[in-house]
Amino acid sequence: MEDHELPLWLLLKGTQSTDKKVRLEAVQNMAGIHYWRDYQYRTVAQACDRRTTVGLARSKDVDQRFFLPPPALPQVDDNYSIEDEVRQLLSSLPHTVVDQCIKYFTSLALRESSQSLVAQRRGLWCFGGNGLPYAESLSSVPSEKLEVYSLQALLKHSRISTHVDSIVSNGGLQLLQRIYLLRKDSQKIQRSIMRVIGNLALHEHLHSSIVDSGWISLLAEAMKSPYVIQTSHAARALANLDRDTVSEKYPDDVYVLHPQHRTSQPIKADVLFVHGLLGAAFKTWRQQDRDQPLDESAAQEEDYTECWPKDWLAEDIPALRIISVEYDTNLSDWKAKCPVDNDRKSMAYRSSELLKKLKMAGVGKRPIIWVSHSMGGLLVKKMLVNASRDEEMQDFVKNTRGIAFYSVPHHGSRLAEYSVNARLVLFPSIEVKELSKDSPALKKLNEEFIEFAKNKDFKVVSFSETLPTRVGSMMKLHVVPAESADLGIGEIISVEVNHLNICKPKSKDSFIYQRTLNFIVDALGADLRKQ
């Protein structure tokens, strides 16, 4: 070989070493190269093994030319319909170990599919389909029920370990890739698809299929997105694929905000963010940007400002692993999504499920700080009380160093009493019912938590809102009054903000952020100073 080619081949040789330290160093050095010619990147892309390709994709600021484009998808004729393919895939999946929700979404997708087939073939837009050129000429692409139902059904199937092989063997990876590439205009659909890939990546025997089907280049590209939601979905899937540096596995709805790339920085503690009613893993923890009302439409926002745990906290304390969890909530059961949804919305069920998911993600092995907003604080209390009664979950209790509560209704909220709209009064969701003022369940939980916290060596701080929040279009109220935000232990701090903005600092210099930062540093104390 030419002399100037020698470093390239030495790096490649290093990436395939049996010595893990040599292997990781070679990948790190390779990822830092930005001066090669195109043919050199192509040579490496073709010669890399799967492990190296995943490692490069998880490296910060890596050159996209390290990744081969996805293999060409099979050519299709004029009669081809993605809708038919989705329908066939859903029909081919097992019907065993399927709960009512999965049956509901699967049957809904299949029914919508058959009803819209004729319309799609007449040229109307549906899931890409034959009407795509027409759709692309519109200022905004209409959203079809079929997409939502089909991906919801497939997402739920991908959570069942006995179903994932069927998804892959029946062409699911290629079909999802076709939809992903067709729908570059829709972040929401691309995120749903990455969620499915992330779930499949939990199963190591499927890693070769995922890599060989070309998903790594797409995930690496998504990692460069300016949107925190896109990068976090891609980061989760890649972390589940990276068994060389990641021992944990991240189940659906558990997202690492930091570090999202491979790093040599030792992680000394975990900070967990748990949102509240109508919140989300990314939306809740953003920089304050506007005075918005508390209603169902707020949950549909897409354009977020900075995610302060990812952008500010990670910069100030880089030795943290920062995790945000997500779960669906509603104000009203007017639009119940499936027959057994209500059972899954109870605090008891959610806290149990979150504990299992966090344990799977390796939470409990390091010192823990919990940061919660509104109903999320009640879930944190319930999780810790439950963990104290379960031998397998004792690490959660032993390693908890501090809990920050932002406007948590320890003694309930008056939200359920107000006639925000007829749906809320007539069909309040189980979440709203459980948050009712003077709820016996909340009183019991608070008593159990106070008893649990006795003689425990962790710090508590509570932030209380002092400004009313717009609820719907006609009303303002204190969602969590000061007396309800007072846990009874720890420090209570009143802040001149409303319920939604109490967890959204305006800037890095704001009182809320600086007080939270100081609390985390103080609670972790010696843990951060350990070498």
Side-chain angles (χ1 to χ4, degrees), residues 266 268-269 317 319 367 520-531:
K268 299 179 180 179
I317 318 178
I520 292 172
V521 171
D522 186 40
L524 290 175
D527 296 309
L528 291 177
R529 293 191 292 271
K530 287 179 182 176
Q531 296 299 319

Side-chain angles (χ1 to χ4, degrees), residues 155-173:
L155 180 62
K156 290 185 179 294
H157 278 286
S158 71
R159 293 172 179 166
I160 303 176
S161 59
T162 54
H163 291 203
V164 294
D165 287 336
S166 295
I167 293 175
V168 173
S169 62
N170 285 293
L173 289 171

